[in-house]
Amino acid sequence: MAHISKRRKLSDLTAGDTNELLDKLEEFRSNLDEGDQDLPDGLMDKLQELRDKLEDVKHTSFSRVDPTTLLSLKISSGPLFLDSDKRQEVETLGLAESPGCLLIGTTRDLINLVRGHVSTVTEAGCRILINILLLRVVSVMCAGATTVNIIPEFSLPRTTFNRDSGKCSFSGVVDFLVTKLPTRYTNFLLSDPTTALGNPGYIEGPMTSNIFEAKRDNARFALPQAAIAAASYCQLQGLFTVRGVVTSGEEWIFFVYERREDGTRLVRSSPEYSLGHNLEGLALILGLLRDSIDNATSSEHVFFTT
């Protein structure tokens, strides 16, 4: 009679057993065609789940991230201060217009229309207001050889980080990814954002993206979530810096995430800037949005100091 090996629990595996199993698991996965319609639903996710258990990786979705997550990953936090001498320059940038753009007067009218007729007790209502400001900026910045595009609810795949207590991974959906790239690639990006952003080598010319997170109230509460999304995007794209925004539509926070060559990581954020009852803050916010998109992967600041 053939010898039947005793079944073992994952906790019984030695380090050598685990590494051997991980190698075989990776070989098995690499031989699978993920587009094969005959694959059982959820198989790839289950294989990833098994891999995470073997590697002792704790997984967290972006929505469950809090300030302690940044501390556990040794991501430092610091402030950004608006250079008061450049405030007028920022506001002028925000009011600048180009042929065919959404005019500032129309933008104001649309904001007031939303304020008067759209409930913002949910994030869905807030996003209508956010969309107006983003569309205004997009319309101004699309003249010329580059274009700016909005990708709502962009999914970031699982990304693994190391920390003292072991490995951890994150994944989730970014409320808005705002991407700037050469105009001729616009249809390629908008028709299949995942493929386009996953293969940047096939896009000739600069391509940058900003992370936007919507939060109905207390926008600063969502900053850690946005920072981890930015950290994940940097790791996936091989970047050292990415800029982003957390907003309720009425309140706007601008941030910069940096991954330095010495391995340290830092997120700096601005105060909350409000549109204001009479939209007195609109020009400033529009100008800072343009600056953030134009300098999406730069750690050098034009209008902020640290």
Side-chain angles (χ1 to χ4, degrees):
M1 180 179 294
H3 174 69
I4 300 177
S5 299
K6 180 182 177 181
R7 293 183 177 180
R8 303 163 67 187
K9 297 179 180 179
L10 289 180
S11 57
D12 295 331
L13 297 178
T14 65
D17 293 334
T18 299
N19 290 333
E20 182 180 356
L21 184 53
L22 282 169
D23 289 340
K24 291 186 179 298
L25 183 62
E26 184 58 33
E27 181 182 359
F28 176 68
R29 284 186 57 183
S30 64
N31 288 327
L32 289 176
D33 178 2
E34 295 190 27
D36 186 352
Q37 296 182 353
D38 292 331
L39 286 180
D41 292 340
L43 174 61
M44 302 306 292
D45 290 338
K46 289 297 183 182
L47 290 174
Q48 181 62 50
E49 184 179 337
L50 175 58
R51 183 180 183 85
D52 286 348
K53 285 184 178 180
L54 290 169
E55 293 184 328
D56 192 24
V57 177
K58 181 180 179 181
H59 182 70
T60 306
S61 67
F62 292 149
S63 61
R64 295 185 178 275
V65 167
D66 60 29
T68 62
T69 308
L70 298 185
L71 293 175
S72 71
L73 292 175
K74 297 183 178 179
I75 298 177
S76 303
S77 299
L80 289 174
F81 303 102
L82 182 65
D83 187 337
S84 58
D85 293 335
K86 294 187 176 181
R87 186 182 183 101
Q88 184 62 53
E89 184 181 348
V90 183
E91 292 177 341
T92 299
L93 180 65
L95 295 175
E97 303 194 320
S98 60
C101 75
L102 183 63
L103 299 176
I104 191 66
T106 305
T107 304
R108 290 176 178 273
D109 290 341
L110 288 172
I111 291 172
N112 287 325
L113 190 64
V114 171
R115 282 177 164 180
H117 298 279
V118 177
S119 171
T120 55
V121 297
T122 66
E123 286 184 8
C126 296
R127 291 186 189 194
I128 296 177
L129 188 56
I130 296 169
N131 287 338
I132 292 173
L133 272 75
L134 290 183
L135 286 172
R136 154 68 188 189
V137 172
V138 166
S139 72
V140 172
M141 297 183 70
C142 281
T146 60
T147 185
V148 178
N149 305 280
I150 304 169
I151 306 170
E153 298 188 344
F154 181 74
S155 294
L156 289 179
R158 188 175 303 217
T159 310
T160 302
F161 295 86
N162 292 315
R163 59 183 177 186
D164 291 341
S165 59
K167 292 183 178 180
C168 59
S169 66
F170 300 91
S171 65
V173 174
V174 175
D175 290 329
F176 301 94
L177 197 68
V178 176
T179 300
K180 181 180 179 182
L181 80 174
T183 302
R184 64 175 177 157
Y185 294 103
T186 298
N187 289 337
F188 176 51
L189 173 70
L190 296 182
S191 61
D192 191 350
T194 301
T195 297
L197 292 168
N199 297 275
Y202 289 94
I203 294 178
E204 295 181 6
M207 180 178 70
T208 60
S209 295
N210 296 73
I211 303 290
F212 282 74
E213 285 293 331
K215 187 68 176 176
R216 184 179 66 84
D217 51 17
N218 192 6
R220 189 160 294 278
F221 183 78
L223 183 59
Q225 174 182 340
I228 293 298
S232 298
Y233 190 77
C234 274
Q235 185 162 310
L236 290 166
Q237 296 289 327
L239 301 172
F240 285 95
T241 304
V242 71
R243 299 195 183 204
V245 177
V246 181
T247 177
S248 66
E250 292 285 351
E251 309 291 333
W252 297 72
I253 297 173
F254 298 83
F255 72 89
V256 180
Y257 169 82
E258 296 179 54
R259 177 171 63 94
R260 295 170 174 170
E261 292 186 2
D262 63 2
T264 59
R265 291 174 286 191
L266 169 67
V267 59
R268 297 184 187 272
S269 61
S270 74
E272 294 182 18
Y273 297 110
S274 174
L275 287 178
H277 180 72
N278 296 313
L279 298 181
E280 58 272 18
L282 177 61
L284 176 66
I285 291 170
L286 291 175
L288 291 176
L289 282 171
R290 288 195 61 175
D291 172 61
S292 182
I293 295 169
D294 270 334
N295 299 287
T297 58
S298 173
S299 59
E300 299 296 322
H301 300 287
V302 179
F303 300 117
F304 287 111
T305 63
T306 58

